Amino acid sequence: KTKSIMSFKEALSQEQANKRFALFEARNDNLHYDVFLKLAKGESYSGRVRATFHLAEVGDMHIDTAAKSIEKLTINLKTVEPKRNDRFLSLPAEYFVKGENLLEIDFTNNYTNDGNGLHSYVDTDGKQYIYSSCEPYHCNKMLPCFDQPDLKATWSFRAAAPHDWIVVSNAREDKDTKVDPKEYLSEADLDQYKIWSFTKTLRFSTYLFCVVAGPYLEVKSSEKHRDVEMSCYCRESLYKFMKEQAEEIFEVTRVCMEFYEDFFGYKYPFGKYDQIFCPEYNMGAMENPGCVTFADSFIYKDVTTVQRRTYRSIVVTHELAHMWFGDLVTMKWWNDLWLNESFAEFISHFAMSHIQDKLKTIKFTDVWVEFLSGKGWGYREDQLETTHPINGDVHNTHDAESIFDGITYAKGSAVLKQLIALIGEKNFSNAMKTYFNKYEFGNTILQNFMDCMQENYKPLSPAYPASLDEWQKQWIQTAGLNELTPCWEPTDSNKVTITLKQTPVLPQHPTLRVHKMKIAFYGDGAELLEARDFVVPASESVTLTFEGPKRLRGILLNHDDEAFIKIRIDPQSTEFLKNNLKNIKGELSRTLIWRAFWDMLRDGMISSLDFIDIVSGTIEEEESEIIISDILSYASAAVLRFTPIKLRSLLAYKVFDLVYHLLLKTDPNDTNKVVSLRSYLISFARNPNHVDLVIEWFKGNVPALAKYPLGLDDKWSVVELAHEYKHVDLAFKKECYAKVQQEDNSDDAVKVGKTAEALLLGTAQRGEAWQSYLKQGKDSVHVTSASMSGFNSVHRLDELSHYHNEFFKVMLDVLRNESKEYASAFYGRLYPNGDDLECYIKKTAELIGAVDEKKEAWFLKKLRQSVDDLKRKQKTYVAVDKYLKNQC
């Protein structure tokens, strides 16, 4: 038996994975897992894994396991003394033979509380729920396995679970095979456990193996797609909400599944399709074949907006796309993660734009406006010094953790939108049909995909690339973002010459690229004179001529948002568009203009005060609810990220008044707008008078707001707001928390309670809380994070200077002694948030010099991004100073 190891730090390198892969025979049935888990209530479980595999060569290797202890190890029926180096359990060559081998491992393990491996959550009603989360390298935290994506396997799974639990996994429950419980359970356990048995799966990677167990409740779809059964599951406390929302989820899934099958030329392969909504989930969702897990925050406990429901549909269709991109055909190693994520992100929006007219339960907001909003993540990351190619080097699984980012998701999906514009929808579909049928249940690399695309590529214009090879090198294999600026002089003539200047955003990534886009030309009344298709060459400048029926007044690049490029608006177009935003037709065009204004703010070209002036002058005339929400999201970031702390309440005051008057003009039956404006009104309450007004609204004492009653999320926001401000009576703070808790005694109450508690800490209590954060405790990472948020609130800056200094002293100890998930939460929640920017830059730079570049690469990326963000903030503060001097 190996000793208990509580923390496993080692990563699997690509070199290790390649060496291990080379030992296996190249055959479709080269690996099968037979897994049994005894899922007990409490903190621990036990199991047995039998792996049958075929070796082409015999050599020393290892199996990955972060299990608490290994009880027994046998190789080809011979007992072997278990020896582990971190999570690598040694498998000596002397026990193997060429051809078929059998490996058996008995183990015990603890459930996790950080969201990875086999996570356990106890609800406020005392009921325990279990679910797995294994990507990229966490299946080994649940059970021993060869944890790399190119060692695909079939799986047979059985579990013993308490009688009041159910078990869900990738395959259908096998109700036909009779199982003798005595084969798995002792006499003492027979009355306490039920055996669940599942049919043998198709081949898939370890990171996609899924186990869900507990007293989950099920809603079964009354309709199938072909013979594919569908169910939704959630914990009991959310069931009444899920029951009301399930049909919308089912309908989107069914209709989209039909679209994908037709477009990909390949039927959904995994038998059934369950969607399980899980508590304390680290991500949005995970594409386990036939058993997709989601954050249960997607089950809304209150009336919500169509925009949020549309976003849920985007996630649902994204995960469904992975059944083909990622599950059926999987990247060989994590450097090609984009073959999973970029595709799922793009094709989900593409599919929704095609199916929306077939749906009865929901009418989506503009899907391509939502897509543009998501691209903001990619634009931000591609301007950081930590940017990377969409397909680049990933040396190990720690590196893999750090590429689930805006480049892989947002930029990658935007590049695919550009590709489909180049190749055409029909040719793209034909390429997909070739790809999935050729590589089904296998693994691929970039070249395999590009070969399928090239076979179906016929340039639709002489200006398009003759071959996709150069396009691939520019876009997939080279990092960096380009910026495009139009230069022109207004004239009384109807003929104007325009020069487009292309530059790299980061000098260390100087590649200029070919961009296919539309350019919009606007006349006096902001009418669209022409939207011209144009291919921008990979050069520093190109000239074009506009000659139209009317004088040119404004230009918008990348109209229709086909390209991934940072666009600038020239000075004359900026003034024209600011004054005529209400007359610009199309949500997407106005969203692109706001995106350009936002970039000007982030780059220090205008100040946050300038930006709020633009907001003030235009928001009341904006009719689109999605754009109003985007504007207020930008405004919130302008105040909180790009305005010095001493000026934030002043700027927030102005936006609060704007939102307040917008709300009063809104029809109470306009649910989408009301829900959005209520939330933003509370968030901009940063002046004591406004805080008091919101509290009176909560109490029901504001007649003007009586027709806009607060929703549940709003009430929790008011609870936090009341605790943030010291002038609010302590008795009311306790009273309002207790009142909302009566309405919603869920995990939301627990997390808000932890935040509120931390906001009320006295000097001695603050020191105790800080000490408790230095070690991961029994509370989940999610619950502890909520406490850290209250502790490090910007409203307590006068009490935090000591801890901001301490943060830099203890961070490396937390990094090296606690789990990655906990260290990440500690860094994200407790990083100093004052305005001593130069000090933070200096101390972060010292940490950069102290980390291990290979073993701690994921953390090094966080540090470098923090420095980038701080330097950007400095630039925006300079713009604020300039604005104030000009006012004087």
Side-chain angles (χ1 to χ4, degrees):
K1 184 190 290 190
T2 63
K3 66 177 182 178
S4 173
I5 303 173
M6 299 311 294
S7 182
F8 297 87
K9 296 292 186 180
E10 284 299 316
L12 178 72
S13 71
Q14 185 175 15
E15 182 183 2
Q16 286 174 304
N18 287 341
K19 283 181 179 177
R20 182 162 61 182
F21 179 83
L23 297 176
F24 282 72
E25 286 188 15
R27 50 190 281 178
N28 288 336
D29 61 345
N30 69 347
L31 179 57
H32 176 74
Y33 292 106
D34 192 328
V35 176
F36 170 72
L37 298 178
K38 181 184 173 187
L39 301 169
K41 292 181 180 179
E43 296 181 358
S44 61
Y45 64 99
S46 59
R48 183 185 68 232
V49 172
R50 299 175 78 232
T52 307
F53 50 94
H54 299 80
L55 295 179
E57 299 292 336
V58 172
D60 289 338
M61 62 177 175
H62 73 270
I63 193 166
D64 314 280
T65 176
K68 181 182 177 183
S69 65
I70 303 301
E71 310 298 331
K72 185 180 179 183
L73 169 64
T74 64
I75 303 175
N76 291 326
L77 305 180
K78 294 178 182 176
T79 301
V80 180
E81 181 67 24
K83 293 181 181 178
R84 261 197 292 190
N85 176 16
D86 197 87
R87 71 175 85 215
F88 304 138
L89 178 62
S90 178
L91 304 176
E94 63 197 81
Y95 293 97
F96 291 114
V97 296
K98 283 187 178 182
E100 184 173 307
N101 291 266
L102 175 65
L103 171 67
E104 296 179 274
I105 302 173
D106 293 349
F107 67 97
T108 59
N109 208 1
N110 288 336
Y111 298 117
T112 63
N113 68 355
D114 59 20
N116 291 324
L118 197 54
H119 181 88
S120 169
Y121 167 81
V122 179
D123 206 349
T124 52
D125 59 8
K127 293 181 177 176
Q128 184 176 8
Y129 297 87
I130 308 298
Y131 64 87
S132 62
S133 183
C134 296
E135 189 176 31
Y137 187 58
H138 302 303
C139 192
N140 69 82
K141 289 176 75 171
M142 175 168 56
L143 51 82
C145 58
F146 300 112
D147 206 356
Q148 62 189 73
D150 58 356
L151 285 177
K152 284 189 161 184
T154 51
W155 301 72
S156 297
F157 175 51
R158 286 177 180 166
H163 284 287
D164 57 342
W165 284 17
I166 66 165
V167 181
V168 184
S169 190
N170 304 91
R172 287 190 177 104
E173 186 184 355
D174 183 356
K175 295 181 179 179
D176 298 326
T177 305
K178 291 186 178 180
V179 179
D180 182 2
K182 292 180 181 177
E183 186 181 339
Y184 298 96
L185 298 171
S186 67
E187 288 290 336
D189 287 335
L190 286 174
D191 292 336
Q192 298 179 48
Y193 291 88
K194 174 187 172 182
I195 300 294
W196 293 75
S197 184
F198 298 88
T199 58
K200 183 179 175 181
T201 71
L202 299 170
R203 292 179 81 223
F204 56 76
S205 304
T206 48
Y207 76 89
L208 296 166
F209 181 61
C210 185
V211 178
V212 175
Y216 287 87
L217 296 182
E218 176 186 17
V219 176
K220 188 180 284 288
S221 175
S222 58
E223 291 184 50
K224 298 179 185 178
H225 170 66
R226 293 188 292 102
D227 61 343
V228 180
E229 293 181 346
M230 299 180 187
S231 289
C232 286
Y233 296 84
C234 71
R235 52 189 158 126
E236 187 177 324
S237 57
L238 285 178
Y239 181 70
K240 65 179 180 181
F241 306 109
M242 185 182 75
K243 200 173 178 182
E244 295 171 353
Q245 298 166 47
E247 182 48 40
E248 181 179 307
I249 296 166
F250 288 140
E251 187 192 28
V252 170
T253 305
R254 284 193 306 269
V255 176
C256 192
M257 189 177 285
E258 183 178 5
F259 174 81
Y260 284 154
E261 287 184 337
D262 181 59
F263 195 73
F264 299 152
Y266 199 104
K267 299 295 185 189
Y268 171 75
F270 295 108
K272 53 102 175 177
Y273 198 76
D274 293 329
Q275 298 177 84
I276 300 100
F277 294 85
C278 304
E280 295 192 329
Y281 207 75
N282 284 350
M283 307 169 287
M286 181 62 208
E287 65 268 19
N288 315 299
C291 189
V292 180
T293 46
F294 292 82
D296 65 11
S297 54
F298 283 117
I299 299 300
Y300 306 122
K301 294 189 286 186
D302 205 356
V303 175
T304 193
T305 63
V306 174
Q307 190 174 5
R308 285 184 76 195
R309 288 165 55 207
T310 298
Y311 179 66
R312 177 174 65 190
S313 294
I314 290 169
V315 178
V316 166
T317 54
H318 175 113
E319 301 310 318
L320 180 59
H322 274 309
M323 300 301 114
W324 290 266
F325 289 109
D327 296 4
L328 176 65
V329 181
T330 312
M331 76 268 145
K332 178 171 175 56
W333 181 248
W334 298 103
N335 57 318
D336 275 314
L337 177 66
W338 76 282
L339 285 171
N340 291 12
E341 299 301 347
S342 300
F343 274 93
E345 188 65 10
F346 165 71
I347 211 74
S348 60
H349 291 80
F350 179 76
M352 286 171 65
S353 71
H354 282 75
I355 69 171
Q356 55 191 351
D357 293 337
K358 299 179 180 179
L359 301 173
K360 297 175 183 175
T361 55
I362 182 173
K363 181 174 173 56
F364 300 139
T365 52
D366 190 313
V367 172
W368 294 117
V369 172
E370 300 288 359
F371 186 77
L372 174 56
S373 296
K375 281 171 70 174
W377 185 20
Y379 284 133
R380 177 187 177 272
E381 296 231 0
D382 217 12
Q383 295 178 75
L384 295 168
E385 69 166 58
T386 53
T387 189
H388 56 86
I390 295 169
N391 167 271
D393 293 332
V394 177
H395 299 292
N396 57 48
T397 51
H398 284 343
D399 289 353
E401 295 261 11
S402 69
I403 60 163
F404 288 80
D405 61 11
I407 303 300
T408 300
Y409 282 76
K411 181 180 181 180
S413 62
V415 165
L416 288 174
K417 188 181 183 188
Q418 174 101 159
L419 178 60
I420 206 170
L422 288 171
I423 196 172
E425 288 185 14
K426 186 176 179 181
N427 291 334
F428 191 87
S429 174
N430 289 337
M432 292 296 89
K433 290 171 183 176
T434 302
Y435 183 70
F436 290 123
N437 283 281
K438 185 173 183 179
Y439 296 109
E440 59 182 353
F441 303 108
N443 296 85
T444 56
I445 59 174
L446 167 65
Q447 197 57 50
N448 301 138
F449 168 75
M450 292 308 302
D451 287 346
C452 292
M453 284 291 152
Q454 187 63 53
E455 283 175 30
N456 292 275
Y457 177 59
K458 295 163 190 166
L460 302 175
S461 160
Y464 291 5
S467 160
L468 292 177
D469 287 346
E470 186 58 34
W471 179 90
Q472 167 192 325
K473 289 171 187 171
Q474 286 183 359
W475 283 104
I476 306 296
Q477 295 176 294
T478 307
L481 178 67
N482 300 135
E483 183 178 299
L484 195 64
T485 306
C487 301
W488 61 287
E489 293 295 332
T491 173
D492 290 335
S493 166
N494 289 2
K495 186 174 180 180
V496 179
T497 299
I498 301 143
T499 300
L500 302 181
K501 295 184 177 179
Q502 184 179 179
T503 55
V505 171
L506 297 174
Q508 58 268 47
H509 298 292
T511 302
L512 300 180
R513 297 174 177 83
V514 174
H515 304 269
K516 181 193 176 297
M517 66 175 64
K518 289 186 175 71
I519 302 175
F521 302 96
Y522 293 99
D524 282 323
E527 72 276 22
L528 182 62
L529 302 176
E530 182 186 354
R532 183 184 303 179
D533 270 308
F534 194 75
V535 177
V536 179
S539 58
E540 292 181 1
S541 68
V542 62
T543 300
L544 63 149
T545 302
F546 170 80
E547 188 168 6
K550 296 182 180 179
R551 287 188 304 171
L552 181 63
R553 286 290 176 254
I555 296 174
L556 178 63
L557 304 178
N558 200 24
H559 176 73
D560 273 3
D561 192 38
E562 287 179 341
F564 184 81
I565 191 167
K566 184 177 183 178
I567 61 165
R568 291 299 191 194
I569 303 178
D570 59 87
Q572 49 270 27
S573 296
T574 297
E575 287 307 309
F576 175 79
L577 294 172
K578 273 198 305 191
N579 296 327
N580 289 275
L581 262 173
K582 64 179 179 181
N583 298 320
I584 301 290
K585 296 276 192 293
E587 284 184 323
L588 187 57
S589 296
R590 297 199 301 282
T591 304
L592 283 162
I593 293 165
W594 276 107
R595 172 80 227 176
F597 289 159
W598 171 246
D599 282 333
M600 293 168 73
L601 166 62
R602 290 184 76 249
D603 295 340
M605 296 172 69
I606 62 174
S607 70
S608 56
L609 293 93
D610 290 303
F611 188 83
I612 298 302
D613 284 344
I614 299 173
V615 172
S616 302
T618 58
I619 194 169
E620 289 193 23
E621 295 175 327
E622 179 56 64
E623 295 180 352
S624 165
E625 290 158 7
I626 188 173
I627 294 180
I628 289 172
S629 180
D630 282 352
I631 292 170
L632 292 175
S633 176
Y634 285 146
S636 178
V639 172
L640 299 179
R641 286 164 50 194
F642 300 135
T643 304
I645 291 170
K646 62 186 179 184
L647 295 175
R648 284 179 195 170
S649 67
L650 182 68
L651 210 52
Y653 192 102
K654 186 173 184 177
V655 185
F656 182 97
D657 272 357
L658 270 176
V659 178
Y660 180 78
H661 288 104
L662 263 181
L663 181 59
L664 293 183
K665 291 178 182 177
T666 301
D667 182 343
N669 296 315
D670 188 349
T671 305
N672 293 315
K673 198 169 179 181
V674 168
V675 169
S676 180
L677 292 176
R678 277 189 331 221
S679 173
Y680 278 112
L681 188 62
I682 297 165
S683 72
F684 284 111
R686 294 189 159 264
N687 173 279
N689 292 335
H690 287 162
V691 172
D692 292 343
L693 174 66
V694 168
I695 287 172
E696 291 304 310
W697 186 16
F698 176 90
K699 292 178 179 178
N701 296 334
V702 184
L705 295 174
K707 56 188 176 181
Y708 308 107
L710 294 168
L712 184 59
D713 289 342
D714 301 323
K715 291 173 186 176
W716 282 126
S717 296
V718 174
V719 171
E720 289 195 31
L721 182 73
H723 282 80
E724 284 170 346
Y725 286 86
K726 293 183 178 180
H727 78 278
V728 178
D729 181 61
L730 180 60
F732 172 74
K733 292 175 180 177
K734 293 181 178 179
E735 175 193 324
C736 73
Y737 176 80
K739 185 176 180 180
V740 184
Q741 185 186 28
Q742 278 188 331
E743 186 178 344
D744 178 32
N745 188 25
S746 69
D747 53 321
D748 288 335
V750 173
K751 286 182 280 193
V752 173
K754 289 286 185 180
T755 302
E757 193 178 278
L759 282 161
L760 295 177
L761 292 171
T763 304
Q765 294 169 312
R766 186 168 290 277
E768 292 168 6
W770 176 258
Q771 287 301 314
S772 75
Y773 297 147
L774 301 182
K775 296 282 183 188
Q776 187 170 352
K778 287 194 172 182
D779 281 342
S780 72
V781 172
H782 285 253
V783 170
T784 305
S785 293
S787 176
M788 290 174 179
S789 292
F791 181 96
N792 199 37
S793 168
V794 72
H795 298 280
R796 297 293 180 270
L797 274 180
D798 57 331
E799 302 167 26
L800 289 172
S801 59
H802 169 70
Y803 300 103
H804 285 172
N805 286 326
E806 286 295 303
F807 172 86
F808 292 103
K809 296 177 184 176
V810 303
M811 186 63 241
L812 289 184
D813 286 337
V814 174
L815 172 69
R816 288 162 184 170
N817 296 324
E818 308 304 319
S819 73
K820 175 184 174 294
E821 293 75 19
Y822 188 82
S824 183
F826 185 94
Y827 184 81
R829 299 293 184 174
L830 295 173
Y831 191 93
N833 53 5
D835 270 352
D836 195 356
L837 306 184
E838 199 57 51
C839 173
Y840 305 155
I841 290 171
K842 180 185 175 186
K843 291 189 175 183
T844 306
E846 290 171 0
L847 284 180
I848 288 172
V851 300
D852 185 317
E853 286 190 28
K854 290 184 178 178
K855 292 187 176 181
E856 295 161 347
W858 70 270
F859 185 64
L860 185 61
K861 180 177 180 180
K862 282 184 178 291
L863 293 170
R864 287 176 172 159
Q865 289 185 342
S866 292
V867 171
D868 260 15
D869 287 341
L870 290 165
K871 288 179 177 178
R872 183 174 294 277
K873 185 177 279 194
Q874 285 181 321
K875 198 185 294 185
T876 62
Y877 282 16
V878 169
V880 169
D881 288 340
K882 190 184 293 185
Y883 177 99
L884 294 174
K885 285 175 184 173
N886 289 339
Q887 294 299 305
C888 296

